[in-house]
Amino acid sequence: MDDKTARRVALIVAPLSSFINPFMGASINVALKAMEHDLALDAVLLGWVQTAFLLAGAAVLVPAGRFSDIFGRRRVFVAGTLLFSAASLGAGLAWGPVSFLAARVVQGIGSAMMVANAVSILVSVFPPEKRGRVIGLNVAAVYAGLALGPVLGGLLTSHLSWRWIFLLAVPLGLTAAGLTLGKLRAEWADARGERFDRAGAVIYALAIPLLMFGVTRLPGPAGLVLVAAGIAGLALFGVLALRADDPLYPVRALGRNRMFAFSNLTAFLTYSTSYGIPFLLSLYLQHIGGLDAAAAVFEYLDVDVVE
């Protein structure tokens, strides 16, 4: 297959996969009340609808990226897309809290494998002078998912069922996996032959969930212990990464490259300060305001709807 065809396919596959994750996350926020009723979720379990996904994804993201660099980005991307699609089907057909939250955990793992490789595939296919434009298009797909998620999620929940939010992701994920398998035949592994830092992966995969779960338990003593354990784990991870010949994450780059360090900090501040607002506002508008899912979205967007 020629380079032009590979670039065209990559420019479909990567933005499509980058669209699915934020779209689903934003859609679920407006469907929480319906899920609460259908799945018999109490207030604690309702919070775990998003937390379970985020914990699993955060724990796997960095190890998945490093594993892809060593063993092949295409291979891990396809596996993650198929895993995400299967988990989406499981969540859409879930019959209770346990099966649903288990599917959300698996979704988070598959999502991390997708996210870790979408931009990497674009960078691998396109030459340096064209990467800025295609990465920009990929970022646009992310924010398109964030923007369309509440609207389409509200409409699906009000007129069909919240389950269609998850079922809709299945054909999208299978399309991305099919195009990648059928049209992108090359495999990219820039770090092939290097050692995968298993100890670093385990420490990271434990420290991130401890920290995130600990924050949800604050200000109680258990929360303080878990947060302290998470911070200590990340500190140990950083020390080991500085000493390793083939670190799981290039910690040194944070000190050597200011643009890289501050871009990570900016992304962290942006998402951490804005992510919780739709979750809380959706519940407020539906529980306190008495609106259905679709009306809550339009109220949030301050749009007048004529009945």
Side-chain angles (χ1 to χ4, degrees):
M1 182 177 58
D2 58 72
D3 291 342
K4 187 175 182 180
T5 303
R7 292 171 187 172
R8 187 182 299 116
V9 172
L11 200 52
I12 296 173
V13 168
L16 179 59
S17 64
S18 296
F19 171 87
I20 296 172
N21 288 290
F23 170 79
M24 178 164 291
S27 298
I28 289 172
N29 282 327
V30 299
L32 289 171
K33 184 181 178 183
M35 293 179 188
E36 179 184 16
H37 178 268
D38 289 352
L39 297 172
L41 300 172
D42 58 25
V44 174
L45 291 176
L46 197 64
W48 277 98
V49 171
Q50 295 287 33
T51 303
F53 177 87
L54 292 173
L55 278 173
V60 173
L61 183 60
V62 172
R66 178 60 178 165
F67 190 89
S68 303
D69 289 340
I70 297 174
F71 298 104
R73 295 167 184 164
R74 174 179 173 271
R75 180 180 294 111
V76 176
F77 177 82
V78 170
T81 306
L82 293 175
L83 191 64
F84 182 87
S85 300
S88 298
L89 179 62
L93 300 177
W95 58 89
V98 175
S99 59
F100 179 74
L101 292 177
R104 288 292 283 163
V105 170
V106 178
Q107 257 195 326
I109 295 172
S111 172
M113 296 166 70
M114 293 165 62
V115 171
N117 290 285
V119 175
S120 298
I121 289 175
L122 287 176
V123 171
S124 300
V125 172
F126 283 89
E129 65 273 11
K130 294 185 178 181
R131 289 174 185 170
R133 182 173 65 88
V134 297
I135 291 175
L137 291 172
N138 193 75
V139 172
V142 173
Y143 284 94
L146 289 171
L148 291 175
V151 178
L152 295 180
L155 293 173
L156 288 171
T157 301
S158 294
H159 299 292
L160 292 174
S161 167
W162 61 267
R163 297 179 184 275
W164 281 97
I165 295 173
F166 295 94
L167 297 177
L168 182 61
V170 177
L172 295 178
L174 293 178
T175 298
L179 286 173
T180 305
L181 281 173
K183 300 295 184 179
L184 292 179
R185 301 301 177 85
E187 184 61 274
W188 303 279
D190 296 343
R192 191 184 299 277
E194 294 184 6
R195 186 179 66 90
F196 181 73
D197 185 4
R198 293 185 179 86
V202 171
I203 293 171
Y204 179 87
L206 291 175
I208 290 292
L210 284 174
L211 178 60
M212 293 178 64
F213 182 59
V215 170
T216 68
R217 303 299 298 272
L218 292 175
L224 293 174
V225 172
L226 290 170
V227 168
I231 293 173
L234 289 177
L236 176 61
F237 171 77
V239 171
L240 294 178
L242 289 172
R243 296 177 178 177
D245 294 328
D246 300 318
L248 192 73
Y249 181 83
V251 175
R252 290 189 179 90
L254 294 174
R256 294 175 180 174
N257 189 327
R258 294 182 62 188
M259 182 178 294
F260 176 71
F262 281 106
S263 65
N264 279 272
L265 178 61
T266 301
F268 170 76
L269 293 174
T270 299
Y271 289 107
S272 62
T273 55
S274 62
Y275 196 87
I277 296 174
F279 176 87
L280 296 173
L281 190 56
S282 172
L283 292 176
Y284 172 80
L285 291 173
Q286 294 182 66
H287 278 284
I288 308 300
L291 303 176
D292 65 16
V297 171
F298 290 115
E299 179 70 20
Y300 176 64
L301 297 174
D302 196 23
V303 175
D304 291 328
V305 181
V306 178
E307 296 290 345

